[in-house]
């Protein structure tokens, strides 16, 4: 059996954003607040320790149309330095935005730790497919579906304050399959995700 290898630098683009309210979103995908600690004192946190993006155990799931494909679709390698830097910079910028939080590098009192992990990815295009091959331009409505988990913890005790999971289709426009468009999607979705997370925390602090 052949192994279809996906490049993280190509695949990750455009695959990370989901809402934080329970129930169906406008695009039909579900975002769900799975668990929140009773009487969690969100108001006592004014700083955030953002952990590195985790793709260590991400599963690659074939879309419906590819279920008969005998090839394995797998991810090999680690998160590239470029992707990690982009994640850190954009998420930090959005979390510290309007009415936001101070980002710190160490655990301590008043510091909330945020850990983001990709659980599974369902790409729309078969690994190795390139636009322009055979004279055909390939465009897709988004890059695929991603199932993401975010854990919000007390940075000192490690206790979980909130656990959020969600799945969302990424991308709202048809774009040609290219590294540049993947990067643009990635930047936009990191930004959107960071904004949503900041808004969720601001609401929780006001309760």
């Amino acid at each position: 059996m052949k192994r279809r290898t996906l490049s993280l630098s190509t695949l990750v683009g455009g695959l990370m954003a989901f809402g934080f309210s329970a129930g169906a979103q406008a695009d039909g995908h579900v975002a769900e607040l799975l668990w929140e600690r009773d009487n969690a004192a969100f108001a006592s946190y004014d700083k955030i320790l953002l952990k590195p993006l985790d793709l260590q155990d991400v599963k690659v799931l074939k879309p419906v149309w590819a279920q008969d494909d005998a090839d394995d679709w797998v991810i090999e390698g680690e998160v590239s330095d470029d992707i990690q830097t982009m994640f850190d910079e954009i998420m930090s910028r959005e979390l510290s935005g309007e009415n936001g939080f101070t980002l710190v590098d160490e655990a301590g009192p008043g510091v909330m730790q945020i850990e983001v992990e990709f659980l599974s990815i369902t790409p729309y295009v078969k690994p190795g497919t390139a636009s322009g091959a055979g004279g055909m331009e390939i465009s897709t409505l988004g890059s695929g579906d991603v199932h993401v988990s975010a854990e919000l913890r007390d940075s000192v005790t490690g206790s979980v304050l909130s656990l959020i999971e969600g799945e969302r289709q990424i991308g709202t426009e048809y774009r040609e399959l290219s590294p540049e468009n993947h990067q643009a999607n990635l930047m936009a979705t990191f930004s959107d995700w960071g904004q949503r997370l900041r808004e969720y925390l601001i609401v929780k602090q006001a309760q």
Side-chain angles (χ1 to χ4, degrees):
M1 182 181 294
K2 297 180 181 178
R3 291 167 62 87
R4 284 284 178 178
T5 301
L6 287 76
S7 165
L8 283 177
S9 298
T10 300
L11 182 61
V12 169
L15 291 179
M16 185 180 175
F18 64 93
F20 291 95
S21 59
Q25 303 297 305
D27 61 6
H29 286 70
V30 174
E32 184 177 7
L33 177 61
L34 293 182
W35 183 85
E36 193 173 275
R37 180 177 295 280
D38 291 338
N39 301 317
F42 285 93
S44 65
Y45 299 93
D46 60 356
K47 295 179 284 294
I48 288 176
L49 173 61
L50 181 65
K51 302 295 287 185
L53 176 63
D54 185 0
L55 284 85
Q56 196 69 29
D57 298 316
V58 64
K59 294 178 173 58
V60 182
L61 308 179
K62 298 177 184 177
V64 174
W65 62 264
Q67 292 301 308
D68 294 333
D69 186 348
D71 294 345
D72 286 338
W73 292 16
V74 298
I75 287 180
E76 294 181 349
E78 303 294 336
V79 181
S80 73
D81 291 342
D82 288 345
I83 291 174
Q84 191 64 67
T85 297
M86 188 182 300
F87 172 80
D88 291 342
E89 291 181 351
I90 296 178
M91 288 289 290
S92 296
R93 182 187 69 212
E94 298 300 344
L95 289 169
S96 62
E98 184 178 358
N99 299 319
F101 303 83
T102 300
L103 275 291
V104 297
D105 296 325
E106 296 181 353
V111 178
M112 178 184 298
Q113 178 175 299
I114 297 180
E115 304 173 12
V116 177
E117 179 181 6
F118 281 18
L119 302 177
S120 67
I121 293 173
T122 304
Y124 291 162
V125 178
K126 189 172 185 175
T129 303
S131 181
M136 181 180 296
E137 179 180 303
I138 300 174
S139 297
T140 59
L141 180 58
S143 301
D145 291 337
V146 62
H147 190 182
V148 184
S149 170
E151 294 183 359
L152 282 59
R153 299 175 177 269
D154 182 281
S155 66
V156 176
T157 67
S159 61
V160 179
L161 304 170
S162 181
L163 172 63
I164 305 169
E165 286 190 13
E167 183 177 347
R168 186 177 178 87
Q169 176 184 342
I170 303 308
T172 58
E173 299 178 359
Y174 279 96
R175 291 184 173 183
E176 183 180 357
L177 196 66
S178 71
E180 292 78 15
N181 284 335
H182 278 304
Q183 182 175 3
N185 287 339
L186 179 61
M187 294 175 69
T189 50
F190 278 175
S191 179
D192 180 67
W193 199 89
Q195 291 175 23
R196 291 173 182 269
L197 183 53
R198 183 186 74 238
E199 291 167 1
Y200 163 76
L201 289 173
I202 290 173
V203 169
K204 297 308 300 180
Q205 287 197 323
Q207 293 178 351

